[in-house]
Structure formats: structure tokens, C-alpha cells
Amino acid sequence: MAGNAQPAGTAGSIDKEALRRKYAEERAKRLRPDGNEQYQRLEGKFAAYAEDPHMPVKPREPLRDHVTFAFIGGGFAGLVAGARLAERGITDVRIIEKGGDFGGTWYWNRYPGAQCDTASMIYMPLLEETGHMPTEKYAHGPEILEHCQRIGRQYGLYENALFHTEVEALEWYEAAHRWIIRTNRGDEFTAQFLGMGTGPLHVAKLPGIEGIESFEGKSFHTSRWDYGYTGGDPFGAPMTGLSDKRVAIIGTGATSVQCVPHLARAAKELYVFQRTPSSIDVRNNQPIDPEWFADVAQPGWQKRWLENFTANQAAGPGASEDLVQDGWTDIAKRLRARIFTLPPEKMNPEGMMSAFEDADFEKMEEIRRRVDQLVEDPETAQSLKAWYRQLCKRPCFHDAYLQAFNTPGTHLIDTGGKGVDRITETGLVAGGKEYPVDCIIYASGFEVGTDYTARAGYDPVGRGGVRLSEYWADGMRTKHGIHVRGFPNMFVVQPTQGANLISNIPHNLTESGATIAAVVDEAIRRDAAEVEVTEEAEQQWIDLLLSGPGMMIGAQDCTPGYYNNEGQEPGPKAKLSVGYPAGAMAYFKYIQDWRDSGKFDGLEFH
Ligand code: NDP
């Protein structure tokens, strides 16, 4: 099936065979042998692209001292770990951050329209502790950045923080039972405990398009937005600098979806270069009513909301109510509705997978119909339809993106899965046609499929001189996604091998923060110089993880993207990129019990 022919109908009337064929055809157009190698870092000729456009780097003297806890990364992970430690009276905490302030992804990504994709009530950490009421169901970037600063201030994390500083080396100093930390600012200090929370998407990447270095106009990556050139600001002021400019944006992922409506309004001409369309469902953002919030914000409210959101995505019958009511809980509810109405003879893995597919086909048909309803030009509408299962790519939710293509001067350049052919001194070539432009904006995303230590920019050297990259050569090995054998007093803060709740990353991080604070508190209480997971406990955890069903997203038959290693065989390491087999809800319960028991099973303190 090609061109305008499309499988029609809902539920029973969907031609499933035709859809499966169409999905396979569209995937085949996008497969390429170079996988992750197709991208390049903001290095070499592009090093200037990585510089901080938001704040000048202040000179300072290198540090040579000792702290109780050093944490790498000043985004949500570092902030919540710092907060949980402070709550237990551990305040000698130094956060090391490459940006000029706290915020992590929200420090860097100040592109117009940046907004959280998961509801603020559960996405923004420590709302109850700080007393902040989000202003919108999905808060915009500046408010989230400000919230990060609020957490930093409230928990006294600014005093000891090192901004515009990148860790270059980490080494376990066996004799002194502490870590040595070296940075690009000449620091060399020690810490008894070390946390690492550098985030999964912090290394910006550019497409490896032929001729990319030859372009003589203005260009930048979305995570380094140049308001000096475009005019406007992250709060939504009009980008007057673009009123006489021809602008190209490369990429149509979650970032592009949020900034295209703003660019469409501002630019004289806007060319959106699309390789794969995103699925765009309804956003339905709304201001939060202070009276409603006052009613909701009773003691323990955020934990209740977090648990309710997670419960609504669990495999079982779900929670009796849906507090968050967004696109994520909708996906899960539809799926459950299908599965739990199956006749008894179809209540088996095959029947359930088929019900899953039906729910997905139905949802995606709805999303494709929405494109026809909102986009005036039928050819453009056809090109904007996503032909893959919803969780093959990051689902997007937006109420102005599709409509932006009705703006005069905004053009969708559908490259039919092939991407931009070439960049010249004056423009871009796609499908053999040249588009002269003044400015190219790269909405080309962040490194994902590369090794943890390659992305981190340092490779911790643990007990006996073993590097983390060596220890993880066959895949990640931890207990709880946090503790690593051979790397005493070190804690990793990220979702994998823990709850792995992809729809709300901050929930994973706040739980890890609580776990780490409990362990450090216990080590201090016992006057232990070291705490480390035992070999046996780590192996048991790995065995448990491998007994599970594996990853639910990123199937190999999906259209290529960072969810499935760009369609390349992920290799044996990917088997370990999983979460707790019983699901996120069960993990959060398990980890709370583990902490509260006070036994810290699997760890040795000495
Ligand atoms: P993505 O990796 O999702 O998107 C990159 C885009 O660039 C894709 O559309 C990709 O096409 C395209 N591209 C790459 N190479 C070429 C090429 N040679 N020619 C044309 N197009 C090309 O990056 P984003 O920055 O959009 O998003 C990254 C992640 O960050 C999201 O998935 C999400 O997890 C997070 N995010 C979250 C937000 C939130 O919560 N509010 C907002 C924004 C981002 P193709 O699809 O074919 O590879």
C-alpha cells in the first residue's frame, strides 16, 4: 500500500494485514547500515556549538579539599539526591554541573515552547516539600528551571556547588576509602561518597549530513538556542529577529514538535525537514486553579499522585481512579480495557499480544485521523501521518504543531524517510531540490545508544584499577540500578535495572535519592568507611532482571529510532537494559520496604 491509500476504520473494521504491511514498508525506507554512526558530536569543527549561550563562565581557583558526598550532575537526579541527603542532615554535599546553574536538561533546553510532556503534578519533583503549585497541567521550561533553583536554594545546595565544571576522572583511593575527583577546571578533591546522575539525554548530536560544515549562514542545536539571533526569549516573546529570515529546522521529534509553532509564527519562511513523522496526540494543557490545588495538596498528596500514575500503567487491573488523566494513562487504560474484556479462551500471551496490537492500531488510526482534521493541505496531512506502533517512537502530544503547517510560509519537506541529502554553503538539498536558507536549526536530538561512560565523559576507576567500562563491557551490572560491585561508596542514579518507569523519569530519581540517602545515613551511623554491594547480591539482582519479560518498548520491528538502537541488532548488552520484572509499581513498593527494613540486604558495610 502506498501514496494516499490508507487502511481505514476503527476496531473490527481495521485491515490489520494492510497496516502491518504499511508499517513494514515505512520501516524499510528508514533502515540504514550506519545506525548510531550516522550522527556526530558537537566537537572539532562544531565545538563552539556546545558552548553555553545562557551564562558566561566565571574564572575561579581550582579546589583541593574533601567533601562527604560529591554528586555529578545538577539536574533532577542531583537535586533530589541532595535534598534527600539534606533531609537526613547530610549537608556536606557538592554537586558538580557542566551548566552555569542547576536544571540539567532544563538549563540547556530553552528553545521556544519547551514544556514537560508528563503532567507537572508528578513530573516536577518535591512539589510538596517546596510548596510550589505548578501554574499549568504541563509546565513550561522557565517554570521548571526556576523550580530546580528553588530546590537548590531550599536544601542549601548552592553553597558547595561547582558550575561550569566537567568531571574528567574519578578514581577510588583504596587506602583512604574515598574517591578522587578531577575536573576540567583543574580541581582535584576527594569525597567519601559519590553519586552520578548525568541523565540519559545530555550529549547533543548533529546529523552526519554531507557538507554540514560548509554552511555559511547561522546554525545551532535546539539545546543551545541563540535568542541573540532569533530575538524573543524562553518565556514566549516573539522572535522578531526571524521576521525577514528563511529558516530550516532538521528533525521532527519531541523538541521540534514544541518549537515549530513558534518558528512558524516568527519566520518569513520555515522549512521543516522531516525524516519520520512523530505521532501527535491531544495535549489539552490548562492552567492549574489555585482553589483546586489547595484542595488536592493535602499531606502526602504528591506520593499519592505518583503512585496513582504508576498504578494506572501497571499490568494488572489498574487503580480505581485516574488522578493524572493524560496521554500516558490513556494509552494504558485502552490497553487494559482490551485485555480485561478478552474471553477466557484468549487470556493467554498470544491473545494478549493481539489485544495489545488492536488497541495500538485503533489509537494510531485516531491519531492519523486527527492529522486530516487539522491540516488543510491534504498532501501535507498525508506526509504528517505516523505509520508505526505508538510506542515505537516517543509519543508526542501537542495542540498547535499540526496546525502550524496551515501558516502561510511554513513548508513541510517530507524526505520520505531518507533525511536531508546534503548541506551547501547557502542551504539544504533534499529529494534533489535545493532550499536556500539563512538559518539551520538542528532538532536532531541526543546520544542514546552509546556506552554510559562514553556519554558521561569519564570512566570511574574502581577497586583494583578496574574501569566501569570494563566491568560493564558485557552490559550494565548493578543492584537496584544503583550499587555496583567493585565501586564502593558509588551510586548511580538512573531508571534502568530499577523501576525503569519511562513515562515519568523523575519518579525513578526521587526514589533513588531516598535510597542513597538511607544507605549513606546508615554507613555514617555505623561509622563504616565503605559500603558496597556483595558479588552474590548483585548477581541475584541480575538473575532476577533476566527472568522478566524484557523491554516493552523499542521492538526490533519498529521504525528505527533511539528506542530500538536505530533498528540495528542491539546485541547482548541490551538484555540488561531492563527494569524490575514485576513492574514499576512493585519496584517502588519493594524498594521502600528494603529501605524501611533497616537491614540493607545485599550491601556490606565495613
Ligand atoms: P529525537 O532524537 O527525538 O529527534 C531527532 C529528529 O531528528 C528525528 O525526527 C530524526 O528523524 C531527525 N533526524 C536525524 N537525522 C536526520 C537527518 N539526517 N535528516 C533529517 N532528519 C534527521 O530528538 P528530540 O530532541 O526531539 O527529543 C529527544 C528526546 O528528548 C525525546 O524523545 C524526549 O525523550 C525528550 N524530550 C522531552 C520533552 C519533554 O518531556 N517535554 C521535550 C523534548 C524532548 P528520525 O525520527 O527519522 O530518526
Side-chain angles (χ1 to χ4, degrees), residues 73-75 95-102 104 108 162-166:
I95 294 180
I96 307 143
E97 165 56 47
K98 78 174 161 185
D101 199 338
F102 291 129
W108 294 108
L162 295 180
F163 295 117
H164 280 142
T165 303
E166 290 180 58

Side-chain angles (χ1 to χ4, degrees), residues 63-85:
L63 292 178
R64 302 263 183 282
D65 59 357
H66 176 77
V67 290
T68 305
F69 201 110
F71 197 97
I72 306 168
F76 282 170
L79 288 166
V80 297
R84 294 293 182 231
L85 287 162

Side-chain angles (χ1 to χ4, degrees), residues 549-568:
M551 276 296 270
M552 286 301 281
I553 60 166
Q556 279 307 291
D557 60 357
C558 277
T559 193
Y562 77 79
Y563 274 9
N564 72 344
N565 198 33
E566 300 294 337
Q568 305 290 308

Side-chain angles (χ1 to χ4, degrees), residues 279-576:
S279 71
I280 320 285
D281 206 350
V282 177
R283 167 83 303 164
N284 202 11
N285 194 18
Q286 289 152 17
I288 287 185
D289 171 13
E291 272 181 40
W292 172 85
F293 183 78
D295 228 32
V296 167
Q298 304 302 323
W301 77 264
Q302 201 178 23
K303 188 166 190 291
R304 269 197 308 281
W305 274 61
L306 285 164
E307 287 176 354
N308 180 263
F309 180 73
T310 312
N312 268 295
Q313 289 174 73
S320 53
E321 57 177 343
D322 176 6
L323 295 171
V324 174
Q325 305 224 17
D326 74 347
W328 295 106
T329 55
D330 180 56
I331 294 173
K333 270 192 290 194
R334 281 166 181 264
L335 186 57
R336 267 201 308 274
R338 282 268 170 190
I339 289 180
F340 288 100
T341 50
L342 280 176
E345 70 277 11
K346 291 203 172 153
M347 266 293 185
N348 50 41
E350 206 181 307
M352 283 154 84
M353 288 318 278
S354 170
F356 186 7
E357 190 186 42
D358 285 352
D360 198 295
F361 280 161
E362 222 174 270
K363 180 78 221 180
M364 289 303 283
E365 285 288 277
E366 197 181 296
I367 288 173
R368 287 187 283 265
R369 275 198 300 278
R370 184 167 180 256
V371 182
D372 284 328
Q373 286 156 9
L374 297 176
V375 178
E376 287 158 12
D377 174 48
E379 204 183 320
T380 306
Q382 191 57 22
S383 293
L384 284 165
K385 290 178 189 168
W387 298 103
Y388 44 79
R389 289 181 64 161
Q390 194 176 22
L391 295 180
C392 278
K393 288 229 170 212
R394 176 62 140 76
C396 294
F397 308 91
H398 211 280
D399 292 338
Y401 175 73
L402 295 169
Q403 296 89 324
F405 293 93
N406 300 332
T407 314
T410 296
H411 319 276
L412 179 73
I413 312 300
D414 180 6
T415 65
K418 296 286 162 240
V420 173
D421 300 337
R422 219 156 20 94
I423 293 180
T424 65
E425 285 173 15
T426 52
L428 305 90
V429 180
K433 183 172 169 198
E434 178 154 11
Y435 299 86
V437 295
D438 302 297
C439 171
I440 303 178
I441 299 172
Y442 294 100
S444 43
F446 303 86
E447 261 185 53
V448 176
T450 49
D451 282 343
Y452 182 89
T453 50
R455 284 200 305 281
Y458 53 80
D459 191 0
V461 181
R463 218 191 272 291
V466 175
R467 289 178 177 275
L468 189 60
S469 59
E470 292 165 348
Y471 191 62
W472 284 358
D474 297 327
M476 188 173 173
R477 291 182 64 81
T478 69
K479 180 178 172 76
H480 301 159
I482 296 176
H483 317 278
V484 186
R485 176 71 183 169
F487 296 79
N489 295 4
M490 184 186 92
F491 309 95
V492 196
V493 182
Q494 50 77 52
T496 311
Q497 299 195 355
N500 215 19
L501 180 67
I502 302 299
S503 53
N504 190 17
I505 298 289
H507 191 182
N508 303 268
L509 308 179
T510 36
E511 284 297 319
S512 294
T515 305
I516 292 166
V519 170
V520 171
D521 198 17
E522 181 70 6
I524 292 172
R525 199 184 62 76
R526 294 190 195 188
D527 203 18
E530 292 181 17
V531 52
E532 186 179 359
V533 59
T534 66
E535 204 174 324
E536 190 193 10
E538 188 184 78
Q539 187 57 48
Q540 277 171 1
W541 191 254
I542 298 289
D543 292 343
L544 177 72
L545 294 171
L546 292 176
S547 71
M551 276 296 270
M552 286 301 281
I553 60 166
Q556 279 307 291
D557 60 357
C558 277
T559 193
Y562 77 79
Y563 274 9
N564 72 344
N565 198 33
E566 300 294 337
Q568 305 290 308
E569 171 51 50
K573 284 188 197 179
K575 280 204 192 78
L576 290 162

Side-chain angles (χ1 to χ4, degrees), residues 30 32 38-39 106 111 115-118 123 201 205 207 209 222 250-256 258 273-276 393-394 415 418-420 443-446 560-562 566:
R30 291 170 172 82
R32 37 192 292 164
Q38 67 181 287
Y39 297 106
W106 298 103
Y111 59 82
Q115 186 184 18
C116 61
D117 252 350
T118 300
Y123 179 80
L201 296 161
K205 68 187 187 202
I209 300 170
T222 47
I250 298 184
T252 50
T255 299
S256 179
Q258 294 184 333
F273 286 83
Q274 171 184 278
R275 194 164 68 175
T276 309
K393 288 229 170 212
R394 176 62 140 76
T415 65
K418 296 286 162 240
V420 173
S444 43
F446 303 86
Y562 77 79
E566 300 294 337

Side-chain angles (χ1 to χ4, degrees), residues 35 60 105 145 210 216 224 281 323 330 371 444-445 520 596:
R60 66 167 175 83
T105 200
L145 177 58
E210 184 193 328
E216 288 179 350
R224 303 288 187 279
D281 206 350
L323 295 171
D330 180 56
V371 182
S444 43
V520 171
D596 292 350

